[in-house]
């Protein structure tokens, strides 16, 4: 719960304290040791991640509506009351960009930071534009529900019409066809399963294209290939429409909670016109430039996520095959999550800076991969993810990276 910038860990109030004598400060980082209110947890936190408590209190309360977070804030207030008359203690919260603020990144991308869409009373002003939404699957249902909760006027359509009933009861309007929805609405979103479904929705009978007129906006939220996005962008704009792609990173639960991450690309004016929609459905959105860029980024993210899940499954089953407790494996993995966060942070810094000074020798992780694969062989258990990774590390060793940091495996991909 400490590293909000990684997405998984929310901001949390804490107090700078003296670390235990036997606890070493992380190398190369300006950090404070922080004890977090409402928990027994503590961690080294980078200076730039610490934000003044009073200046950010209201913002954080709006964003975090969980019971444990509120209890933590109450603990801070009790602490401050007891310390009245003394100098204000060094309380802090991890960073989150100010709600509604649009930030230009160094890369030229833009991000809109938002929060749990069900948690704010009036802090998000819904656009007065009429919103259409096509596709009420696992992701679309949560998105539409949050759009309605935040006061947007939404017209829905789904291939299986009965899925619309619940949203009609919540105040949505019903569109008979995709063409009708696009014609009735100023901004129409689509969230379907694959490239064929996305194309059919636009180009098929009574499709979106038939309802597009100059100025109408179409936003493709499906995760598809860049070529499909280029095709849809061209046909929409050929009718005078405005096009944006906005695939989402997250799960059904995150969709329901309004905590998706939205990657957008295409017409930036559409992105800006949709800011209240994106704030209702997600915690953060990024504008990545020309149409197709978001599809590329999303596929890369999902590649990493899918590979990670397969590796976890491989580890779980290997644990079982070698007589180890799967639950204990998961418990150890969860306990090590802070180590993994620090590991990722350091590795990214090393790679981006081109600094591969060893913190953990590459040759040692390759040795461990080799031994794990051998253990799998003895248990007659497949380890394809480990085997593939092992080949990459062997390639890095062949490029004289053995005595560099584990992150030097990056160099195996750029030769």
């Amino acid at each position: 719960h400490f590293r909000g910038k990684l997405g998984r860990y929310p901001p949390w109030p804490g107090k700078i304290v003296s670390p235990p004598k036997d606890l070493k400060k992380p190398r190369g980082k300006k950090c404070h040791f922080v004890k977090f209110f409402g928990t027994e947890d503590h961690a080294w936190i980078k200076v730039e991640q610490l934000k003044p408590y009073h200046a950010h209190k209201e913002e954080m309360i709006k964003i975090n509506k969980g019971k444990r977070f509120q209890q933590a804030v109450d603990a801070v207030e009790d602490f401050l009351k007891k310390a009245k008359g003394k100098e204000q203690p060094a309380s802090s919260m991890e960073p989150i960009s100010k709600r509604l603020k649009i930030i230009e990144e160094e890369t030229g991308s833009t991000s809109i930071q938002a929060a749990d869409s069900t948690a704010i009373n009036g802090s998000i002003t819904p656009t007065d534009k009429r919103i259409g939404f096509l596709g009420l699957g696992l992701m679309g249902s949560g998105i539409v529900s949050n759009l309605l909760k935040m006061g947007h006027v939404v017209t829905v359509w789904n291939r299986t019409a009965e899925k619309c009933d619940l949203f009609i009861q919540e105040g949505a309007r019903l569109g008979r066809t995709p063409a009708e929805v696009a014609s009735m609405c100023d901004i129409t979103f689509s969230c379907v399963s694959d490239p064929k479904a996305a194309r059919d929705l636009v180009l098929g009978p009574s499709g979106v294209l038939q309802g597009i007129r100059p100025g109408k906006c179409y936003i493709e939220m499906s995760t598809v290939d860049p070529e499909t996005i280029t095709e849809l962008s061209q046909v929409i704009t050929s009718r005078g429409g405005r096009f944006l792609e906005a695939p989402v990173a997250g799960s059904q639960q995150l969709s329901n909670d309004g905590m998706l991450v939205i990657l957008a690309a295409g017409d930036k004016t559409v992105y800006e016109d949709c800011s209240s929609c994106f704030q209702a459905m997600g915690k953060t959105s990024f504008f990545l430039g020309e149409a197709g860029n978001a599809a590329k980024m999303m596929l890369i993210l999902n590649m990493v996520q899918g590979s990670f899940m397969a590796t976890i499954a491989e580890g779980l089953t290997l644990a079982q095959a070698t007589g180890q407790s799967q639950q204990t494996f998961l418990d150890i993995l969860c306990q090590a999550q802070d180590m993994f966060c620090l590991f990722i942070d350091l590795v990214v810094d090393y790679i981006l800076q081109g600094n591969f000074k060893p913190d953990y020798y590459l040759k040692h992780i390759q040795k461990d991969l080799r031994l794990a694969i051998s253990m799998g062989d003895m248990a007659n258990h497949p380890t394809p993810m480990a085997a593939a990774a092992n080949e990459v590390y062997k390639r890095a060793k062949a490029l004289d990276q053995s005595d560099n940091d584990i992150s030097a495996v990056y160099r195996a991909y750029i030769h």
Side-chain angles (χ1 to χ4, degrees):
H1 302 99
F2 313 133
R3 306 191 63 83
K5 71 172 186 175
L6 292 180
R8 184 175 177 182
Y9 305 104
W12 206 267
K15 183 165 69 81
I16 295 173
V17 297
S18 298
K21 294 181 179 180
D22 60 345
L23 191 62
K24 293 183 179 180
K25 190 173 183 179
R27 292 185 300 163
K29 303 288 182 183
K30 292 184 178 179
C31 301
H32 288 302
F33 190 74
V34 177
K35 172 69 175 68
F36 294 93
F37 285 91
T39 78
E40 296 299 318
D41 298 326
H42 50 263
W44 288 105
I45 302 296
K46 295 179 186 177
V47 170
E48 60 266 26
Q49 291 177 312
L50 299 175
K51 300 294 181 181
Y53 173 76
H54 290 289
H56 291 263
K57 172 185 170 183
E58 183 177 349
E59 174 190 345
M60 297 299 184
I61 290 175
K62 288 178 180 178
I63 292 170
N64 298 275
K65 285 292 182 178
K67 184 178 179 181
R68 289 185 65 236
F69 180 83
Q70 188 55 55
Q71 290 173 341
V73 172
D74 292 342
V76 175
E77 296 301 316
D78 289 342
F79 176 83
L80 293 176
K81 287 178 182 178
K82 292 176 182 178
K84 65 181 179 179
K86 300 179 181 180
E87 184 176 338
Q88 181 178 323
S91 299
S92 57
M93 288 189 175
E94 285 192 282
I96 186 163
S97 301
K98 219 171 187 179
R99 179 182 305 283
L100 311 181
K101 184 177 180 182
I102 297 178
I103 303 163
E104 291 292 338
E105 306 281 350
E106 290 181 2
T107 59
S109 68
T110 304
S111 66
I112 296 177
Q113 305 282 336
D116 185 340
S117 63
T118 64
I120 306 98
N121 296 318
S123 63
I124 294 178
T125 303
T127 178
D128 59 3
K129 296 183 184 298
R130 294 165 296 181
I131 304 300
F133 205 96
L134 311 174
L136 300 174
L138 293 179
M139 304 299 281
S141 294
I143 291 171
V144 169
S145 180
N146 282 311
L147 288 172
L148 291 169
K149 286 175 184 176
M150 295 313 301
H152 295 86
V153 177
V154 185
T155 300
V156 296
W157 175 90
N158 191 72
R159 184 171 54 84
T160 308
E162 54 264 28
K163 284 191 175 182
C164 297
D165 294 344
L166 175 62
F167 302 101
I168 302 303
Q169 295 173 18
E170 292 180 3
R173 301 172 183 179
L174 179 64
R176 292 177 296 179
T177 65
E180 182 178 88
V181 174
S183 178
M184 292 169 55
C185 299
D186 302 304
I187 301 171
T188 300
F189 291 86
S190 164
C191 189
V192 293
S193 59
D194 56 39
K196 183 181 184 302
R199 286 193 181 96
D200 289 347
L201 205 58
V202 174
L203 303 172
S206 300
V208 167
L209 194 60
Q210 295 180 24
I212 293 294
R213 298 190 300 274
K216 295 282 186 180
C217 301
Y218 186 65
I219 303 177
E220 183 56 79
M221 302 194 77
S222 314
T223 299
V224 298
D225 55 280
E227 292 75 21
T228 295
I229 290 298
T230 299
E231 179 184 355
L232 296 181
S233 176
Q234 289 174 348
V235 297
I236 294 295
T237 55
S238 71
R239 294 288 184 92
R242 299 156 61 202
F243 180 84
L244 187 77
E245 59 168 330
V248 294
S251 62
Q252 180 183 13
Q253 186 60 54
L254 292 175
S255 175
N256 293 339
D257 293 343
M259 295 296 283
L260 296 168
V261 174
I262 301 138
L263 307 184
D267 189 328
K268 192 172 183 179
T269 63
V270 179
Y271 176 70
E272 292 166 347
D273 286 346
C274 293
S275 63
S276 73
C277 298
F278 289 150
Q279 289 161 25
M281 66 180 73
K283 67 174 181 179
T284 312
S285 65
F286 293 88
F287 184 77
L288 303 177
E290 65 182 21
N293 284 349
K296 294 173 185 176
M297 186 69 80
M298 183 58 66
L299 291 176
I300 295 167
L301 288 170
N302 283 351
M303 176 193 75
V304 172
Q305 178 177 308
S307 300
F308 178 72
M309 189 66 249
T311 301
I312 294 295
E314 189 165 294
L316 274 169
T317 52
L318 182 59
Q320 184 179 48
T322 56
Q324 304 306 304
S325 164
Q326 290 182 320
Q327 186 57 56
T328 300
F329 167 73
L330 291 175
D331 290 343
I332 294 169
L333 202 60
C334 289
Q335 288 296 321
Q337 65 183 3
D338 287 343
M339 176 189 73
F340 283 127
C341 291
L342 179 61
F343 173 75
I344 291 171
D345 198 28
L346 288 172
V347 164
V348 169
D349 282 348
Y350 289 166
I351 290 175
L352 294 181
Q353 295 171 12
N355 171 21
F356 298 106
K357 181 179 178 181
D359 189 63
Y360 189 94
Y361 284 116
L362 184 143
K363 62 185 178 185
H364 290 166
I365 195 67
Q366 192 275 320
K367 174 262 297 181
D368 292 342
L369 282 166
R370 173 173 53 81
L371 294 175
I373 293 166
S374 176
M375 184 169 67
D377 288 342
M378 288 187 288
N380 197 28
H381 185 80
T383 53
M385 299 301 293
N390 188 46
E391 292 304 313
V392 181
Y393 279 98
K394 284 162 62 178
R395 169 66 176 160
K397 285 178 66 176
L399 295 170
D400 296 324
Q401 301 301 312
S402 291
D403 293 324
N404 279 338
D405 186 71
I406 182 176
S407 57
V409 70
Y410 174 79
R411 288 180 168 167
Y413 288 96
I414 58 174
H415 284 78

